[in-house]
DNA sequence: CTAGGGTTAG
């Protein structure tokens, strides 16, 4: 089968997995589309860079283009900035400058995100000078990314200055500076800004909810939630995960029930939140009901949902259901899945099986981290 | 063809 431009673009738009991407690439290379720097080749690169498990692949694709343009550098910088090694994004940015390709506003938006993910204030400051040097200091998008980068690095003063440098901040910029206050636990400052905001949208309210729950001020969050003009799935998820992570299981469960009563469809975030509440409360029966809902809604293939289910069964003492979920219901496993299963086996006295799984995990190419080793050590204690 | 703010498990 040979494919044309149009087909290639629509296939890439729906591409979700690495093997799917490889198939498309194979078909595209038969007609030379993969080397077409105008559309298909670039979109192939874009798909690879935004697919979580296809970064090496995207780098290989990138290296085949003799003279990459800003779009292609940006694509790789973006993919790497969201990876586990965001500093590789900075290396690509440096390569771009060495190749005398001038960075544009997109390049700065992506590379500043990488600095934020590295939590490196030094890199952030250095990039800020580059932004000024290239004349983007009053660019709305770049300015907003600077605000959130400084917030992420815990430097509220710089975030404030970057915000004041934006000539006409819109609601997104305002939301960014409010979120920056919460990130350094300046709840009072966030409240003052929230009241002074010229406009608010739903996200502004959700920023406040998330900030309050992170600061442990759940009653402020609750009264704001009740006073909000509109609520969406993020508002509900924020409240449920907020209550669950602060140990208020009954509130998490009753908010989830309320969500269902309002006719909202639970998403994967609210489900992981309420499952975590069941796990901590030992509510096996509620957990089983949720399990059935997840299967019916077709959400069981989402890794975070599967992991939350695993943890719920393990903490509720049902080792049989834990291994059933792990062995039969999870097609995709992350390091969290392997570690949860190992911990569950070890804590229920199945030391030999836990150790076997520890080896099997490495055979699957997943490298253990600190938490995995701690889980294995439970074998010695129990 | 790419971009900024809010929710996700061990």
């Amino acid at each position: 089968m040979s494919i044309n431009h149009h087909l290639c673009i629509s296939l890439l738009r729906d591409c979700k997995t690495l093997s799917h991407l490889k198939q498309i690439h194979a078909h595209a290379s038969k007609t030379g589309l993969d080397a077409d720097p105008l559309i298909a080749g670039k979109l192939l690169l874009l798909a690879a860079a935004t697919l979580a498990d296809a970064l090496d692949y995207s780098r290989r694709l990138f290296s085949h283009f003799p003279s990459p343009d800003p779009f292609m550098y940006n694509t790789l910088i973006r993919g790497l900035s969201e990876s586990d090694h965001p500093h590789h994004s900075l290396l690509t940015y440096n390569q771009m400058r060495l190749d005398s390709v001038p960075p544009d506003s997109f390049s700065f938006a992506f590379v500043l995100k990488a600095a934020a993910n590295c939590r490196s204030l030094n890199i952030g400051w250095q990039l800020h000078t580059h932004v000024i040097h290239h004349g983007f200091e009053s660019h709305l998008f770049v300015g907003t990314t600077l605000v959130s980068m400084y917030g992420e690095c815990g430097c509220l003063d710089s975030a404030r200055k970057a915000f004041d440098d934006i000539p006409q901040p819109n609601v997104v910029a305002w939301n960014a500076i409010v979120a920056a206050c919460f990130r350094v636990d300046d709840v009072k400052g966030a409240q003052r800004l929230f009241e002074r905001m010229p406009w608010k949208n739903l996200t502004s309210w959700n920023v406040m909810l998330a900030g309050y729950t992170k600061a442990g001020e759940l009653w402020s969050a609750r009264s704001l939630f009740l006073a909000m003009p509109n609520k969406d799935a993020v508002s509900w998820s924020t409240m449920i995960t907020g209550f669950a992570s602060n140990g208020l299981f009954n509130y998490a469960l009753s908010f989830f029930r309320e969500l269902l009563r309002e006719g909202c469809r639970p998403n994967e975030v609210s489900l992981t939140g309420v499952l975590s509440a069941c796990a901590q409360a030992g509510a096996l029966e509620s957990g089983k009901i949720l399990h059935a809902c997840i299967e019916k809604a077709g959400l069981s293939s989402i890794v975070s949902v599967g992991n939350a289910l695993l943890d719920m069964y393990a903490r509720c003492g049902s080792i049989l259901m834990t291994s059933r979920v792990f062995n039969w219901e999870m097609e995709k496993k992350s390091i969290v899945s392997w570690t949860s299963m190992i911990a569950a086996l070890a804590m229920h006295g199945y030391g030999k099986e836990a150790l076997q799984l520890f080896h099997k995990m490495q055979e699957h190419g997943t490298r253990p981290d600190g938490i995995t080793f701690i889980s294995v050590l439970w074998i010695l204690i129990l």
Side-chain angles (χ1 to χ4, degrees), chain A residues 23-317:
Chain A
Q23 282 174 18
I24 301 171
H25 189 185
H27 285 305
S29 62
K30 276 184 205 157
T31 41
L33 275 173
D34 61 330
D36 170 9
L38 279 176
I39 309 260
K42 290 185 176 185
L43 290 179
L44 199 61
L45 182 62
L46 186 63
T50 51
L51 225 58
D53 49 356
L55 265 174
D56 289 333
Y57 194 73
S58 76
R59 283 169 143 163
R60 243 173 297 138
L61 278 174
F62 182 81
S63 64
H64 287 318
F65 284 94
S67 53
D69 63 7
F71 174 87
M72 311 192 70
Y73 280 105
N74 291 348
T75 306
L76 201 59
I77 292 171
R78 171 185 169 185
L80 292 165
S81 75
E82 289 160 2
S83 72
D84 293 336
H85 308 286
H87 54 279
H88 287 212
S89 168
L90 299 156
L91 296 177
T92 306
Y93 168 75
N94 277 334
Q95 190 58 48
M96 182 181 191
R97 302 178 70 220
L98 287 173
D99 294 344
S100 308
V101 177
D104 59 15
S105 61
F106 290 93
S107 321
F108 283 121
F110 295 138
V111 76
L112 285 168
K113 190 95 177 182
N117 290 339
C118 289
R119 304 285 142 85
S120 169
L121 197 51
N122 279 330
I123 295 170
W125 274 327
Q126 209 179 334
L127 290 173
H128 196 163
T129 64
H130 295 184
V131 167
I132 293 165
H133 180 251
H134 285 87
F136 287 107
E137 73 271 29
S138 50
H139 189 286
L140 182 57
F141 278 40
V142 176
T144 308
T145 317
L146 274 170
V147 171
S148 65
M149 181 275 293
Y150 281 128
E152 204 64 55
C153 296
C155 190
L156 188 56
D157 286 344
S158 299
R160 273 311 291 255
K161 271 201 226 132
F163 179 74
D164 292 336
D165 283 343
I166 300 175
Q168 283 170 324
N170 64 1
V171 65
V172 181
W174 276 94
N175 292 342
I177 188 66
V178 173
C181 287
F182 276 123
R183 215 154 285 152
V184 296
D185 292 321
D186 184 7
V187 178
K188 287 267 181 312
Q191 279 169 330
R192 271 196 300 273
L193 285 168
F194 184 68
E195 280 153 23
R196 272 184 38 209
M197 279 174 75
W199 336 261
K200 297 181 180 74
N201 61 7
L202 188 50
T203 301
S204 320
W205 296 83
N206 287 341
V207 170
M208 293 303 288
L209 290 185
Y212 279 138
T213 59
K214 289 245 160 71
E217 298 193 17
L218 288 146
W219 309 123
S220 308
R222 201 177 93 111
S223 51
L224 198 72
F225 181 83
L226 296 174
M228 275 168 72
N230 292 303
K231 303 165 181 65
D232 68 356
V234 176
S235 327
W236 285 100
S237 313
T238 306
M239 292 308 292
I240 292 165
T241 55
F243 280 121
S245 60
N246 282 280
L248 295 156
F249 321 128
N250 289 331
Y251 281 97
L253 287 165
S254 71
F255 262 80
F256 186 78
R257 275 193 288 267
E258 187 69 28
L259 176 157
L260 295 177
R261 212 175 309 142
E262 297 261 317
C264 295
R265 273 239 322 253
N267 64 7
E268 79 264 29
V269 184
S270 48
L271 279 167
T272 52
V274 74
L275 280 169
S276 144
C278 291
Q280 295 178 73
L284 181 61
E285 290 312 311
S286 307
K288 279 182 180 165
I289 295 168
L290 287 167
H291 190 172
C293 295
I294 289 165
E295 305 223 306
K296 220 165 66 185
L299 294 167
S300 44
S301 59
I302 297 172
V303 182
S304 60
V305 173
N307 289 341
L309 259 179
L310 263 186
D311 188 49
M312 184 275 295
Y313 279 124
R315 289 194 198 218
C316 291

